Amino acid sequence: MEKRMNDPRNIQLGLSRMNEIMSLLGNPQEAFPYIHIAGTNGKGSVGAYLSHLLSKTGETVGWFSSPAIFSEGEEIAFVTQGKIQYLTEEERSCYQQELNGYARNMSEPLTPFEGLTALAFYAFAKKKVDRAVIECGMGGRGDSTNVVKNPQAVVFTSIDVDHVNFLGHTLEEISKEKAGIIKENTKVIIGDEKPEVRRVIEKEAEEKHGKIYRVEGEIPYEVEDECVVFDFLDIKRIRLKTLGAYQVQNACLAITCARALGITDPTLIQKSLEETRISGRMEVIRKKPLWIRDGGHNPAGITALLQSLPPGAFGCVFGVFADKEYEKMLDLLCERISVFILVRPTDPRGLDPEIAKSYLEKKGIRAFVSQSVKDGLKLGDQMEMNFVICGSLSLLKEAGEWKQ
């Protein structure tokens, strides 16, 4: 299903089909309060921090994220006291069959992502979650998750240029699409966005009489023992188990959202964030030599990765989708990377690594092509140097399996 969802031919923004299936199902999306998250990068991290934090108050939290990276079915999660569970095979099969029965009566079929979104809402209602954290798949206004009507809060993570064929070619156009998740009288949490992004979101919030909460400016941090350490508001020395400096902003968005919802206990908030583990985000998978896997898959994500990369020489195992701005990504990486091992992601959209090799060789950068991600990782291992793995979320699972 993941490959089908990733195929641009299966992406159809708009809510007509979702409204129809939700009505047929009895509008399960109205059975629980929820928080809606939109952005280019950071949605998964903010979703993880928020769902864990909310669960520590005693709630069972439904958490919908995409795509599945490490295992099938991980898009639909249930978090209780910080512990994540997924639908059993029996539950998923049962709910899917019931959903399919209703979908047969639709005027046109659901797209794969719409089907997954509908299944998530149906499962959350069936299992009676106390609250849900819902991440947009792409954009916002026309995203299938936007069938929900009255969010308790909406959170905007870092917004940059991506998915231009669907969302627009300028930051203003993309921001307007994402701002479409704001509803009347909603709490709106905004991070340290570019001015043109902030203007669009704040204008939409003001028109919808939303209350705006801002995380402004860069938050100072230190790196200690593979953790980033920072202060925020009245909470001192929060230690996130990551090398990713960008997670400071994501954690502060989660804190700000929680406080906007009335969750103010600093000890509970700090402990929850420090206990949250997020795989594939500046994650150390080997220490000597240092190997890091990161989900950076667009120029903004690569920029954030480079800002967090430790000093020293690094190689890079790189695979990317052909519809991404891969030349910009490679240009950025060349500032720190001395050698590339190029692979094709296991997805129909994967870029032929020979194309990336030709581009790098014209710049005088050493580059090798491997026939598979596994072979690329083995080749890097033989070089006995520090490496970072990035370019596509689809590389992360194989990198995790290889590290074992």
Side-chain angles (χ1 to χ4, degrees), residues 294-352:
D294 187 77
H297 60 284
N298 51 41
I302 296 299
T303 298
L305 179 162
L306 292 171
Q307 290 170 347
S308 300
L309 201 63
F314 273 84
C316 178
V317 177
F318 182 83
V320 67
F321 289 172
D323 58 355
K324 296 290 184 178
E325 295 182 291
Y326 61 86
E327 291 183 354
K328 286 186 179 180
M329 296 166 68
L330 290 170
D331 288 344
L332 290 165
L333 286 166
C334 285
E335 297 174 9
R336 284 291 311 273
I337 302 301
S338 58
V339 59
F340 286 82
I341 298 173
L342 304 166
V343 300
R344 187 196 296 266
T346 53
D347 185 281
R349 287 190 290 163
L351 177 74
D352 181 350

Side-chain angles (χ1 to χ4, degrees), residues 128-157:
K128 295 181 171 60
V129 299
D130 298 303
R131 195 174 344 217
V133 174
I134 308 294
E135 300 172 24
C136 290
M138 179 190 295
R141 192 178 307 275
D143 188 79
S144 64
T145 62
N146 204 30
V147 72
V148 292
K149 303 300 183 186
N150 299 297
Q152 291 185 315
V154 297
V155 182
F156 292 97
T157 66

Side-chain angles (χ1 to χ4, degrees), residues 35 37 45-55 61 133 155 254 257-258:
I35 299 157
I37 305 174
S45 295
V46 173
Y49 288 131
L50 258 180
S51 58
H52 282 71
L53 196 163
L54 294 170
S55 79
V61 180
V133 174
V155 182
C257 181

Side-chain angles (χ1 to χ4, degrees), residues 219-267:
I219 311 299
Y221 69 92
E222 300 173 353
V223 178
E224 297 178 1
D225 301 324
E226 296 181 15
C227 294
V228 288
V229 185
F230 64 100
D231 301 339
F232 186 62
L233 303 176
D234 61 334
I235 309 176
K236 307 300 181 184
R237 294 192 60 77
I238 302 169
R239 296 176 61 89
L240 302 180
K241 186 63 175 176
T242 178
L243 289 176
Y246 53 80
Q247 296 293 38
V248 173
Q249 176 79 191
N250 292 330
C252 290
L253 285 169
I255 294 170
T256 302
C257 181
R259 292 205 157 175
L261 296 173
I263 302 168
T264 59
D265 183 343
T267 302

